Amino acid sequence: MDTTTIESDTPGSPTGVPTAAQAGALPEPLVGCVVAITSDRRREELAAMLRRRGAEVMTAPTMRIIPLTDDRVLRAATEECLRGPLDYAVATTGIGWRAWISTAEGWGLAEPLSAVLTAATLAARGPKATGAVRQCGMRETYSPPSESSTELLAWLLAQDLAGSRIAVQLHGSADTAFLDALRGAGAEVVPVPVYQWGPPQDTAAVARLVEAVVRRQVHAVAFTSAPGAAAFLAAAENDGSLTRVVDAMQADVLAACIGPVCAAPLEAHGITPAWPDRGRLGSLARVITQELPPRVRRRLNTPGRDIVVQGNAVLIDGRPVPLSPLPAGVLRELARQPGRVLSRAELLRRVWTGMRRDEHAVEATVARLRTSLGEHADVVATVTKRGYRLAVEPS
């Protein structure tokens, strides 16, 4: 169980951040947080890591991996590799490299292919590709510390590639810039397509994710590939929601990526993602655990009781009380500036984004919020003819 301490900006330490004893170490640091997963492969593994940390998980794969149904293309690429010696071979993904060798085995070509690849200088893009290369009885010469295609390409271009033959195992789609750079250096390049990216199986789930981001009903979105991130933005654009999605992810919704290459499509839209030093699912889960709570956590200055708002939950003296999205949204907006009065119209505009509701919806939602708070319902105060405020002491 993760025991990360979540801290907020209150007095108590030399840095102005409370000590662990003051903030309280939560055994489930993501309680109240909704995290969306956009990947197809291994999404259940990442979801399990996040749920162990207390998060509610929404899965909406924006793309899916499709094995090549017509393996004649892969076989032709394999036979081209066998036509003569290879000087270099590039493994970009573990799943793709293993699938290539396994498929060649079915054709009776695994032995000659392994011999050609072993004789070549092998480069692997990251630890998963490196593991697959070694699992197949081969050994890589180089793997970039950053696990990025950019650094891998830089290493290759530093070699004398004139007249060389290079096999590049593709990962979902042809990286034309990568291949063209090698050809520009004088190399003969053999692209090896093992699988390709396809549209998501559940487009409705992606549409719901776009809507949830716009309404701030999801607190973080996890991306594990650049094509997946680009597909999410494309879905938002097709829905006419791209500007609002970008606004949400620039201000309130955390974008968490497996690495800098994955982050590039988001950065192109002015979004600043977080990513770990190492491209691992466990590292991605840890980054979300570190980065998300400080963004969604608000401690209320209420004498005699400890009330903390975190995502879709309120922690009262350390006890989490789950809230449904609309009551949580109202409490979140009130907690942005504790004590400030927000009118019904202002709450309607902030919480019911894109939804047609009247001010009676605000009254009904405040009533539900007070019911959830139980004996602490008085923390949400009505200001006659003006709206609502949190009944808290000045910070």
Side-chain angles (χ1 to χ4, degrees):
M1 184 68 72
D2 190 290
T3 55
T4 302
T5 299
I6 302 175
E7 299 174 334
S8 60
D9 296 326
T10 55
S13 73
T15 61
V17 176
T19 63
Q22 290 169 319
L26 294 178
E28 296 181 333
L30 294 179
V31 63
C33 299
V34 181
V35 182
I37 297 175
T38 60
S39 59
D40 186 17
R41 271 191 71 242
R42 302 178 69 193
R43 64 181 181 272
E44 290 305 323
E45 184 179 345
L46 179 56
M49 294 178 189
L50 294 170
R51 289 188 181 110
R52 283 198 297 270
R53 291 163 164 82
E56 178 184 343
V57 176
M58 175 183 186
T59 57
T62 55
M63 301 194 78
R64 61 191 169 105
I65 293 175
I66 306 174
L68 289 178
T69 54
D70 184 358
D71 61 12
R72 288 177 296 180
V73 178
L74 178 57
R75 179 152 189 169
T78 302
E79 290 174 347
E80 181 64 19
C81 290
L82 297 176
R83 184 175 59 80
L86 290 172
D87 296 289
Y88 297 90
V90 178
T92 57
T93 63
I95 185 175
W97 188 267
R98 283 190 295 267
W100 183 20
I101 303 302
S102 176
T103 304
E105 187 174 15
W107 299 327
L109 298 176
E111 188 173 339
L113 177 60
S114 295
V116 167
L117 294 173
T118 300
T121 298
L122 279 170
R125 189 179 63 162
K128 295 176 186 175
T130 297
V133 166
R134 296 180 182 180
Q135 186 181 2
C136 294
M138 307 168 202
R139 195 77 183 185
E140 81 289 348
T141 299
Y142 175 76
S143 182
S146 67
E147 306 173 22
S148 75
S149 297
T150 301
E151 190 170 350
L152 177 58
L153 177 60
W155 181 83
L156 285 167
L157 294 177
Q159 317 305 313
D160 182 7
L161 299 182
S164 64
R165 296 184 78 229
I166 306 176
V168 180
Q169 173 252 314
L170 302 178
H171 52 99
S173 59
D175 187 341
T176 54
F178 189 99
L179 302 180
D180 288 347
L182 296 177
R183 293 186 180 110
E188 176 191 345
V189 180
V190 183
V192 182
V194 183
Y195 57 85
Q196 60 189 6
W197 295 110
Q201 289 182 314
D202 190 350
T203 55
V206 180
R208 287 193 295 271
L209 172 57
V210 169
E211 183 179 3
V213 169
V214 168
R215 295 181 180 174
R216 278 69 166 176
Q217 292 178 351
V218 62
H219 305 107
V221 184
F223 300 95
T224 59
S225 72
F232 169 72
L233 295 171
E237 185 171 23
N238 292 338
D239 189 43
S241 302
L242 180 59
T243 300
R244 290 183 294 165
V245 162
V246 171
D247 288 345
M249 300 189 84
Q250 286 176 337
D252 299 308
V253 180
L254 172 68
C257 297
I258 198 73
V261 174
C262 173
L266 300 164
E267 290 181 314
H269 285 79
I271 298 167
T272 304
W275 63 77
D277 293 334
R278 303 285 288 176
R280 306 282 199 282
L281 288 186
S283 299
L284 178 59
R286 282 193 291 274
V287 161
I288 294 171
T289 305
Q290 293 163 1
E291 296 285 337
L292 183 54
R295 297 168 66 110
V296 299
R297 180 170 243 233
R298 301 286 185 276
R299 184 181 296 276
L300 306 183
N301 193 5
T302 49
R305 52 190 173 182
D306 182 33
I307 298 181
V308 176
V309 180
Q310 180 164 299
N312 286 1
V314 56
L315 291 90
I316 302 174
D317 295 330
R319 178 179 61 87
V321 177
L323 302 172
S324 54
L326 289 175
V330 169
L331 185 57
R332 178 187 67 234
E333 294 302 328
L334 293 173
R336 285 186 189 275
Q337 292 180 280
R340 179 174 179 265
V341 178
L342 292 182
S343 68
R344 292 172 178 80
E346 195 168 3
L347 284 170
L348 199 63
R349 178 177 58 82
R350 293 188 183 188
V351 179
W352 281 263
T353 305
M355 301 170 65
R356 292 190 175 184
R357 295 288 190 276
D358 58 27
E359 294 184 6
H360 294 296
V362 179
E363 296 170 5
T365 301
V366 169
R368 289 167 54 199
L369 173 58
R370 286 171 170 159
T371 298
S372 298
L373 293 173
E375 62 180 303
H376 303 282
D378 61 328
V379 77
V380 180
T382 300
V383 180
T384 306
K385 295 184 179 181
R386 291 182 60 198
Y388 303 96
R389 62 181 286 273
L390 291 183
V392 296
E393 296 285 335
S395 298

